[in-house]
Amino acid sequence: MPNILLLGGTTEASALARLLAKHGVPATLSYAGRTEAPRAQPIPVRVGGFGGVEGLAAYLRAARVTHLVDATHPFAATMSANALAAAQLAGVPLVALTRPAWVPVSGDRWTRVADIRGAVAALGGAPRRILLALGRMHVADFAAMPQHHYVLRFVDAPAVSPILPHHTLIVDRGPFTPEGDRALMEAHGIDRVVCKNAGGRGAEAKLIAARALGIPLLMIDRPTLPPRAEVTDPAAVLEWLDHTAVPTERGV
Ligand code: 3Y8
Ligand code: NAP
């Protein structure tokens, strides 16, 4: 009998959870616990870190997980690297459910940067009004460029006010809509957007809105991940499960 551990936190992970529930496949979705009220799921949920590679390998063994699906965000590089290592340690097959990186289309005014530091460096010069659509974890890096007015969007209200001297804080969770993001950019007079190359549709709205308004966008490239089996469609995970035998009990 299969027993899936699904590392979640993305639109695709939630879509797969619905599919697994529909097919009655025993599965648990795992959140890190970064948000106050993560989306309810149709399968059992666990919340919190595992305690690194060893902790996850121990969890896989103790919970008799037969298949590990890494459906975390492309920027959750530590989790993805740990998942691969723990799966190998525990002898559990792993597949990643990810989404293709966005590529610029006509009308886009992208400047690509390698990482958050590159984005900060690219924001030198005259004061601008910047939509910093990166969530909460990287805001402090932009204190190096205090001349700008930043419009921030967090999932939850922060305990302390962000340290950027000029900022507007919006508390909202996605998925977002192009209409909503366009209205936001117009209302705040945005003249730059900064975002991660998350891919997928749940965060794409700001790209579409920036394109429509002709606003330049700083696109942060994804961290490189170790090679692993990858699919980009939740249904492909079901096929993978069918073709990946449940590891037999290792003889003792
Ligand atoms: C805790 C689970 C679902 C999944 C929804 C997707 C879409 C909406 C867009 C913007 C960009 C950002 C951020 C974003 C999006 C989806 C998806 C996605 C970007 C939740 C969720 C968790 C998180 C964690 C959170 C991070 C933050 C990043 C906000 C739930 C809502 C900016 C990434 O406050 C914090 O500490 C937030 C941290 C990691 C990145 C950061 O650096 O702040 N996601 N987001 C997951 C866990 O605990 O394991 O609460 O329901 C999930 C989603 N966020 O099922 O509907 O599929 O990507 N999430 C980015 O792309 O740049 C917002 O504002 O335009
Ligand atoms: P990360 O930096 O790669 O991981 C840091 C640590 O958080 C991991 O080592 C692990 O702790 C714990 N962790 C991460 N994801 C987990 C999960 N799904 N279940 C249990 N523990 C998890 O991760 P992150 O970038 O902070 O992402 C955290 C969560 O937010 C993930 O679910 C991710 O899919 C989601 N998310 C992230 C982004 C983003 O921009 N990074 C965007 C959207 C959604 P231990 O070492 O203790 O096991």
Side-chain angles (χ1 to χ4, degrees):
M1 187 66 166
N3 177 23
I4 317 305
L5 177 63
L6 170 55
L7 302 178
T10 59
T11 308
E12 291 72 18
S14 297
L16 177 57
R18 289 193 294 275
L19 213 50
L20 291 168
K22 184 177 156 202
H23 290 267
V25 178
T28 300
L29 185 141
S30 176
Y31 282 123
R34 281 212 177 281
T35 53
E36 283 163 16
R39 174 192 289 272
Q41 296 290 344
I43 58 177
V45 168
R46 67 163 298 285
V47 180
F50 296 97
V53 173
E54 294 298 337
L56 178 51
Y59 178 94
L60 294 173
R61 292 189 195 101
R64 306 172 78 78
V65 170
T66 59
H67 301 78
L68 179 55
V69 181
D70 175 4
T72 59
H73 190 274
F75 280 72
T78 305
M79 185 70 258
S80 290
N82 287 4
L84 201 55
Q88 281 156 358
L89 264 182
V92 171
L94 174 142
V95 72
L97 171 58
T98 185
R99 50 268 185 127
W102 291 314
V103 289
V105 298
S106 75
D108 282 337
R109 298 177 62 188
W110 288 14
T111 301
R112 286 175 56 182
V113 289
D115 48 27
I116 297 278
R117 280 166 52 88
V120 174
L123 289 178
R128 295 194 176 286
R129 297 184 61 82
I130 298 174
L131 173 60
L132 201 59
L134 302 177
R136 175 182 59 155
M137 291 200 294
H138 307 289
V139 167
D141 297 90
F142 292 86
M145 295 289 176
Q147 71 273 32
H148 303 303
H149 183 96
Y150 292 97
V151 174
L152 307 172
R153 181 153 66 183
F154 291 0
V155 177
D156 298 315
V160 293
S161 176
I163 57 168
L164 299 171
H166 315 292
H167 72 269
T168 305
L169 176 62
I170 295 169
V171 179
D172 191 2
R173 68 166 51 225
F176 303 103
T177 64
E179 302 70 29
D181 277 6
R182 175 169 180 155
L184 182 149
M185 292 178 194
E186 290 175 324
H188 292 277
I190 297 299
D191 58 25
R192 275 291 179 289
V193 175
V194 181
C195 72
K196 298 175 190 167
N197 198 324
R201 306 187 59 73
E204 192 183 17
K206 55 190 173 288
L207 276 61
I208 298 168
R211 187 182 306 142
L213 296 171
I215 297 174
L217 183 144
L218 266 182
M219 181 61 75
I220 301 167
D221 284 338
R222 298 175 169 188
T224 46
L225 296 175
R228 71 233 169 120
E230 284 187 2
V231 296
T232 56
D233 172 9
V237 175
L238 291 192
E239 287 163 32
W240 176 78
L241 291 173
D242 285 345
H243 299 123
T244 308
V246 174
T248 51
E249 280 292 317
R250 278 174 298 165
V252 289

